[in-house]
């Protein structure tokens, strides 16, 4: 049933993540290698609707593998939720002769792609691009490794000043639904407590443990909290601790958007290059409407409608390791 694909469009959609540029570069250069025409679609699905579509050449993606953000820009498109918006997008693709799409984004972008390809005869390939690492069907997502390394760098600096003043720091990292950035950065920086949405947070136990540490004069402590933890963010954690331990010198630091930017790590560049290359291969082979991930170091294909946000289980062992190592 699959037709041969000759002209492909690539877009980045939803939240940006470092490494998206490396993925765009891989899609463009692999497409050109196979004598395809490749188009860059600006600002995600909104660019499809507005006909903001530009031909891409090998030089268009020169000098971007090391850059964060996305040269194609990204957006959230309200219009794409409507059948009229998607029809307009389809008409614009047809106008350019685009017969295959590579969508780099999160699960929302995949839902859009799935809907679009159900309505029109445009095969779509999704590549997981999100700093949260919370997509079913992939051990990695483009951007996670960089974000977590940015968090580590910042938390290490905070520990220096915390140590100088004997302070307790509560550091909030990104992760509305997933605690992977908090878990990995917390373990890697020796945080005393890590609060994540995947596990039940016993804030009273955290306070008890801080009291116990105070008794043995351990005053420098770091709590890393994911923004989506059920206790709330760093400010909510602070207000609970302040009530019970008002005398502690406590500070809050919310890392915020620095976690999204910056030059992608080696791992993110490799993943993005591998997935971008594979996306074009899949379109050529007639594999349609799938997300390509990596599991156990092998490419792994998931139907777009199954490539949803997934709360991955955090192993009990990790939480035990955190407790033992940060005593
Ligand atoms: P992410 O891809 O990072 O999860 P969003 O959830 O914001 O980000 O999705 C990105 C875009 O994908 C949305 O702005 C919208 O244009 C499109 N999209 C998401 N869900 C749907 C849907 N159910 N139908 C049509 N388009 C959708």
């Amino acid at each position: 049933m699959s037709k041969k694909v000759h002209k492909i469009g690539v877009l980045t959609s939803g939240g940006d993540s470092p490494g998206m540029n490396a993925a765009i570069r891989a899609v463009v250069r692999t497409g050109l290698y196979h004598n395809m025409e490749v188009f860059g679609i600006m600002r995600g699905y909104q660019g499809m609707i507005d006909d903001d579509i530009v031909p891409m050449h090998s030089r268009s993606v020169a000098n971007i593998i090391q850059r964060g953000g996305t040269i194609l820009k990204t957006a959230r498109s309200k219009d794409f939720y409507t059948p009229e918006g998607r029809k307009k997008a389809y008409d614009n693709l047809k106008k350019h002769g685009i017969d295959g799409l590579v969508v780099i984004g999160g699960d929302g972008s995949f839902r859009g792609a799935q809907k679009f390809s159900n309505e029109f005869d445009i095969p779509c390939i999704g590549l997981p691009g999100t700093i949260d690492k919370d997509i079913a069907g992939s051990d990695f997502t483009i951007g996670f490794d960089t974000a977590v390394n940015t968090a580590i760098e910042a938390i290490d600096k905070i520990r220096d000043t915390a140590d100088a003043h004997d302070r307790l720091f509560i550091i909030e990292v990104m992760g509305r639904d997933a605690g992977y950035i908090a878990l990995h950065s917390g373990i890697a920086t020796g945080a005393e407590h890590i609060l994540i949405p995947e596990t039940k947070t016993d804030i009273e136990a955290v306070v008890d443990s801080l009291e116990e540490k105070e008794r043995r004069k351990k005053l420098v402590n770091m709590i890393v909290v994911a923004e989506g933890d059920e206790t709330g963010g760093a400010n909510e954690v602070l207000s609970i601790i302040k009530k019970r331990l008002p005398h502690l010198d406590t500070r809050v630091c919310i890392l915020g958007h620095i976690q999204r930017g910056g030059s992608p790590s080696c791992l993110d560049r490799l993943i993005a290059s591998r997935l971008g290359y594979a996306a074009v291969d899949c379109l050529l082979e007639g594999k349609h409407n799938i997300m390509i991930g990596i599991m156990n170091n092998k490419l792994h294909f998931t139907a777009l409608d199954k490539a949803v946000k997934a709360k991955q289980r955090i192993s009990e062992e990790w939480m035990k390791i955190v407790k033992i190592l940060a005593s």
Side-chain angles (χ1 to χ4, degrees):
M1 61 168 228
S2 53
K3 300 174 295 187
K4 187 135 170 53
V5 172
H6 297 283
K7 295 190 185 187
I8 60 173
V10 56
L11 62 89
T12 47
S13 166
D16 64 310
S17 64
M20 282 183 158
N21 278 327
I24 296 166
R25 172 179 177 269
V27 171
V28 170
R29 294 214 167 142
T30 309
L32 296 175
Y33 170 79
H34 289 293
N35 297 317
M36 293 168 138
E37 276 183 58
V38 187
F39 293 83
I41 299 165
M42 303 300 295
R43 295 189 314 285
Y45 295 123
Q46 198 55 43
M48 260 161 78
I49 294 168
D50 298 340
D51 194 18
D52 199 353
I53 298 174
V54 291
M56 302 291 278
H57 311 287
S58 187
R59 293 299 93 205
S60 319
V61 290
N63 202 17
I64 66 165
I65 194 169
Q66 78 284 16
R67 284 171 53 194
T70 156
I71 58 163
L72 296 177
K73 311 245 180 215
T74 182
R76 297 196 156 91
S77 168
K78 281 209 177 79
D79 297 339
F80 201 71
Y81 285 97
T82 67
E84 300 76 34
R86 293 193 294 275
K87 172 71 170 64
K88 220 167 155 190
Y90 174 72
D91 290 341
N92 286 326
L93 292 191
K94 277 284 133 195
K95 196 169 85 185
H96 293 279
I98 294 171
D99 47 14
L101 266 189
V102 180
V103 174
I104 307 162
D107 65 315
S109 303
F110 301 154
R111 270 194 299 280
Q114 175 70 27
K115 205 167 235 178
F116 186 68
S117 63
N118 281 347
E119 290 169 346
F120 306 102
D121 60 339
I122 302 276
C124 298
I125 303 289
L127 302 183
T130 155
I131 61 168
D132 289 332
K133 198 172 93 77
D134 59 348
I135 304 274
S138 194
D139 292 338
F140 301 99
T141 57
I142 297 165
F144 171 75
D145 187 62
T146 308
V148 92
N149 276 297
T150 300
I152 284 173
E153 211 183 313
I155 297 170
D156 282 346
K157 288 176 181 168
I158 293 166
R159 190 179 275 283
D160 287 347
T161 170
D163 189 58
H165 288 272
D166 279 341
R167 274 182 180 146
L168 163 66
F169 257 92
I170 307 162
I171 301 151
E172 181 180 309
V173 298
M174 280 186 165
R176 264 198 297 270
D177 304 301
Y180 267 94
I181 295 180
L183 182 72
H184 286 219
S185 66
I187 292 168
T189 55
E192 278 70 17
H193 297 279
I194 302 172
L195 315 184
I196 53 176
E198 289 86 348
T199 59
K200 192 163 165 27
T201 296
D202 183 351
I203 196 70
E204 291 304 319
V206 172
V207 179
D208 289 346
S209 148
L210 290 171
E211 255 179 336
E212 183 275 323
K213 288 188 175 88
E214 194 189 2
R215 281 197 292 276
R216 54 183 167 93
K217 305 269 181 295
K218 184 183 188 313
L219 299 172
V220 183
N221 289 291
M222 316 277 278
I223 300 175
V224 176
V225 54
E227 61 182 327
D229 185 71
E230 73 264 27
T231 320
N235 283 316
E236 284 75 19
V237 173
L238 172 75
S239 73
I240 296 169
I241 292 176
K242 271 279 169 212
K243 272 187 206 131
R244 288 250 328 254
L245 304 169
H247 54 284
L248 282 190
D249 191 2
T250 309
R251 294 288 190 279
V252 156
C253 180
I254 297 172
L255 295 189
H257 281 80
I258 62 163
Q259 295 160 93
R260 283 198 182 278
S263 181
S265 67
C266 177
L267 182 61
D268 276 331
R269 296 181 202 192
L270 293 183
I271 293 167
S273 301
R274 187 175 177 191
L275 293 179
Y277 169 88
V280 177
D281 256 10
C282 283
L283 283 172
L284 284 170
E285 286 170 11
K287 286 201 186 89
H288 294 159
N289 306 338
I290 50 164
M291 181 200 81
I292 313 176
I294 298 172
M295 291 194 92
N296 302 319
N297 203 24
K298 290 198 171 60
L299 292 179
H300 184 87
F301 307 109
T302 306
L304 274 182
D305 57 350
K306 302 272 180 331
V308 291
K309 247 190 188 46
K311 246 187 201 150
Q312 298 175 19
R313 229 172 44 80
I314 307 272
S315 88
E316 292 292 319
E317 198 168 15
W318 266 126
M319 298 318 277
K320 192 172 164 196
I321 291 171
V322 170
K323 213 165 175 180
I324 292 171
L325 298 191
S327 59

